[in-house]
Amino acid sequence: MTYLGAHLSSAGGFYKMGQAAVGIDANTFAFFCRNPRGSKAKAVDPEDLQKLRELLAAEGFGPVVAHAPYIMNPCSKDEGIRALAAEMMAGDLRLMEHLPGNYYNFHPGSHVGQGTEAGCRMIADMLNAVLQPDQQTVVLLETMAGKGSEIGGRFEELRQILDMVALPEKVGVCMDTCHVSDAGYDVRDHLDDVLEEFDRVIGLERLKACHINDSMNPLGARKDRHAPIGEGTLGLEGIVRFITHPRLRHLPFILETPHDTPGHGKEIALLRQTIGER
Ligand code: FE
Ligand code: FE
Ligand code: ZN
């Protein structure tokens, strides 16, 4: 069965979030380790996380993909903001050790005028400061739409970061279908070519998870506005081609479309029906 899920709220506890995932026929999901707006870490409740871990194993879940706070910017001009990014990631990764063998995805950040080179260097510096050789979580760089001074709109930029990381086996990539399309990679009509390019530049073995979002904007728009599945430029067909592609179909696919959890449940049902899984 394809690993399909959505971004869920951990506000009511981690085990509850797992139950919510089961309730919408998901077998993977994404979540924030802390309040998404603030930087404050939650007190870790090992029992709650243990219960989630058992639930995921019992229900045959694929890997889950935690998401770093949106306010994290590891390549900010401001040293304090960079330090905060490292602190948040380190804290989230400590929590993730209670859910071993999963992923933690983050936006590489915006270099705000410092240039791509300097930005990539700062992102790698943070990873080198935070990653531990014995950690059981693989951290994922997300492909971005390339709006403003955002890093990660080009596969080459992600490759630059990966090349500077001291623990390469602890870092992979998460591909977001809305973002790559907005960045100019035609995953709707030329998916084979895009994957070929990804493989050449980064290596497909580094691709560990995908966000499946339709896009409100045309190819190359550099906007990053997610649309519900089937209501954007990728279309239901484009998304289905993506999740059934032989080089991708084993990966966890996470919806981040503008819906609440019941709406995501409907999208999962639609996708499972379309690919003949229900
Ligand atoms: Fe993201
Ligand atoms: Fe995303
Ligand atoms: Zn986005």
Side-chain angles (χ1 to χ4, degrees):
M1 192 121 97
T2 305
Y3 295 132
L4 278 169
H7 192 112
L8 301 175
S9 168
S10 60
F14 288 94
Y15 177 66
K16 273 228 172 94
M17 177 172 60
Q19 287 180 311
V22 173
I24 57 168
D25 199 17
N27 49 4
T28 180
F29 55 89
F31 59 98
F32 293 119
C33 297
R34 59 183 71 215
N35 182 326
R37 267 172 249 287
S39 58
K40 249 195 101 184
K42 281 193 217 185
V44 174
D45 177 351
E47 231 169 274
D48 185 30
L49 288 159
Q50 165 80 23
K51 274 170 69 187
L52 173 62
R53 209 162 99 197
E54 286 164 8
L55 177 70
L56 300 184
E59 297 284 343
F61 271 59
V64 296
V65 191
H67 200 300
Y70 290 135
I71 59 159
M72 184 186 278
N73 187 5
C75 58
S76 167
K77 249 185 190 156
D78 182 317
E79 207 188 313
I81 292 175
R82 293 203 303 275
L84 180 64
E87 193 186 307
M88 288 191 289
M89 185 177 286
D92 285 358
L93 289 177
R94 275 195 295 278
L95 181 140
M96 288 302 288
E97 285 301 290
H98 294 269
L99 299 170
N102 293 294
Y103 298 125
Y104 178 81
N105 167 75
F106 76 107
H107 297 178
S110 294
H111 66 70
V112 280
Q114 305 178 96
T116 310
E117 292 265 337
C120 289
R121 173 84 256 172
M122 287 172 176
I123 295 157
D125 283 348
M126 178 195 62
L127 289 169
N128 289 334
V130 168
L131 299 182
Q132 303 292 322
D134 58 346
Q135 76 179 43
Q136 299 180 76
T137 302
V138 173
V139 172
L140 307 181
L141 293 156
E142 183 166 348
T143 62
M144 301 308 291
K147 66 175 190 298
S149 67
E150 219 169 48
I151 289 187
R154 300 294 312 166
F155 296 158
E156 285 79 1
E157 295 166 3
L158 300 181
R159 176 58 197 261
Q160 251 187 69
I161 299 164
L162 291 168
D163 279 346
M164 292 187 276
V165 166
L167 295 169
E169 71 283 3
K170 302 296 180 195
V171 189
V173 173
C174 172
M175 189 188 288
D176 184 310
T177 55
C178 167
H179 297 177
V180 283
S181 172
D182 279 23
Y185 295 103
D186 190 355
V187 286
R188 183 186 69 187
D189 294 330
H190 296 97
L191 180 56
D192 283 328
D193 296 343
V194 173
L195 296 180
E196 203 52 56
E197 188 170 346
F198 188 99
D199 196 32
R200 182 168 46 76
V201 177
I202 298 176
L204 259 182
E205 72 283 356
R206 307 299 290 269
L207 183 61
K208 305 294 189 191
C210 298
H211 291 163
I212 47 165
N213 304 306
D214 215 328
S215 175
M216 285 169 51
N217 291 289
L219 181 69
R222 292 177 157 243
K223 286 282 207 302
D224 189 3
R225 300 280 307 279
H226 302 188
I229 301 300
E231 293 178 30
T233 47
L234 301 183
L236 177 60
E237 272 180 50
I239 296 292
V240 164
R241 267 201 303 276
F242 190 90
I243 65 172
T244 56
H245 193 284
R247 300 180 86 174
L248 303 176
R249 57 179 317 156
H250 60 286
L251 297 171
F253 298 110
I254 313 282
L255 292 158
E256 300 173 311
T257 49
H259 281 302
D260 53 11
T261 300
H264 284 140
K266 283 184 194 151
E267 285 188 325
I268 289 170
L270 170 68
L271 289 168
R272 289 214 191 279
Q273 273 157 24
T274 311
I275 62 179
E277 289 190 347
R278 280 285 186 265

